[in-house]
Amino acid sequence: MSATAFALVITAALLHSIWNIAAKKAGGDDRFALIACVQLLVLWAPVGLWFGWGVLPGWHWREWGVVLGSAVLHLVYFQTLLRGYRLSDLTVVYPVARGTGPLLSSIGAVLLLGEAMSAVGVAGVAAVTFGVFFIAGGPALWAKAHDPSQRARVQAGLAYGAATGALIAGYTLVDGYAVKTMLLAPVLIDYIGNLFRLPFLLPAALRDRRAFAQAWHAQWRYALVVAVLGPLGYVLVLYAVRLAPLSHVAPAREVSMLFAALVGGRLLGEGERGLRIVGALCIGCGVAALALG
């Protein structure tokens, strides 16, 4: 991985951790997703117009189809993640998703996109995956699985976390193909994708317009953080994919868990500091291996 691609991934990871903390503090649902989507479309409209003005008229069914597929995968991913959070604990769902996603993305990039990975790169992927597991609580997850009162929640968390991870791998591979093979502009993939998601979000969020207005009043500041930093971070990742193998970029993104481990205890009141430090060290070593490999 080149120094430029590495810098893009690290910056994107920091932005990812910041907007995820904002989203968690907001505690929103479909209405929050719609608020962030609307803000994103308004704030990033000049950039979308700038990149798309002379390009979109030349798109054919193939380009539109890939971007629509990406948009649907992102939407289903988000809905699956939210349902997992309703049925289980965040400390089970999120780490399983973030650990499964890059692992499947790397395998898919090798099998479907013809990328190669050295032994050092394989070790880096493994280190990142184990680091995410330790940040989640490590062996405590298995202890919960043997507690009858916790078993159903853990099983739901593992199932929805794995499904979310598979969807992360899905949209990562689709978007990676779009920027590496089709040479589509990362900005357009993200912006048009959000535009496609808007009709899917409107019905559920606007069933109760009074509740939506209350959600807007209470959550618009958090949504603004998501609307500004979310696209910026993901576009940086897609540019990194142009410069480096997707099988390296996907797991390296999980350095965001390192940033979350460092700030989570103070901002979100999360414990297990020892395991989080071990996990952060694993992620740091894994990202370094990916950069070298």
Side-chain angles (χ1 to χ4, degrees):
M1 188 186 301
S2 68
T4 301
F6 185 72
L8 291 174
V9 171
I10 295 299
T11 303
L14 177 60
L15 297 176
H16 185 273
S17 64
I18 293 173
W19 75 253
N20 268 270
I21 289 172
K24 182 176 180 179
K25 289 177 72 69
D29 52 13
D30 288 342
R31 289 180 285 267
F32 179 78
L34 177 60
I35 294 168
C37 183
V38 170
Q39 291 179 336
L40 186 158
L41 292 174
V42 172
L43 292 172
W44 287 87
V47 179
L49 288 172
W50 175 268
F51 279 87
W53 186 261
V55 175
L56 292 180
W59 278 16
H60 301 292
W61 66 267
R62 186 164 170 251
E63 288 82 1
W64 289 107
V66 167
V67 175
L68 177 60
S70 170
V72 171
L73 284 170
H74 279 274
L75 179 65
V76 177
Y77 144 78
F78 187 65
Q79 298 298 330
T80 303
L81 183 66
L82 289 179
R83 181 165 178 79
Y85 285 163
R86 289 195 297 269
L87 297 177
S88 186
D89 299 330
L90 181 143
T91 51
V92 176
V93 179
Y94 183 71
V96 170
R98 301 312 303 181
T100 305
L103 180 62
L104 294 178
S105 298
S106 298
I107 294 173
V110 172
L111 296 179
L112 301 178
L113 301 182
E115 294 186 358
M117 182 177 290
S118 67
V120 175
V122 172
V125 172
V128 170
T129 302
F130 279 112
V132 171
F133 172 70
F134 281 121
I135 285 177
L141 290 178
W142 308 120
K144 289 182 179 180
H146 289 86
D147 183 349
S149 63
Q150 294 278 356
R151 186 178 297 120
R153 291 182 62 81
V154 171
Q155 289 175 345
L158 292 174
Y160 280 98
T164 301
L167 290 164
I168 291 173
Y171 74 65
T172 300
L173 290 171
V174 170
D175 293 348
Y177 174 79
V179 300
K180 291 180 76 74
T181 303
M182 301 179 68
L183 300 180
L184 300 185
V187 171
L188 291 181
I189 295 173
D190 189 79
Y191 189 80
I192 301 299
N194 274 281
L195 186 62
F196 281 157
R197 287 192 285 274
L198 185 62
F200 294 98
L201 291 171
L202 280 171
L206 295 181
R207 285 196 187 101
D208 187 340
R209 296 189 180 184
R210 183 175 179 180
F212 177 75
Q214 292 173 344
W216 184 287
H217 179 74
Q219 299 172 352
W220 72 267
R221 293 177 180 83
Y222 296 114
L224 186 61
V225 175
V226 176
V228 173
L229 299 186
L232 179 58
Y234 194 60
V235 166
L236 292 179
V237 167
L238 293 182
Y239 275 111
V241 169
R242 281 190 169 181
L243 302 174
L246 178 62
S247 54
H248 289 192
V249 173
R253 289 185 65 198
E254 303 318 308
V255 76
S256 62
M257 289 292 289
L258 189 154
F259 293 125
L262 296 177
V263 301
R266 183 175 297 274
L267 295 181
L268 302 177
E270 297 176 348
E272 299 291 347
R273 179 174 298 179
L275 284 175
R276 290 179 184 279
I277 292 175
V278 172
L281 290 174
C282 287
I283 292 173
C285 293
V287 172
L290 290 168
L292 295 173

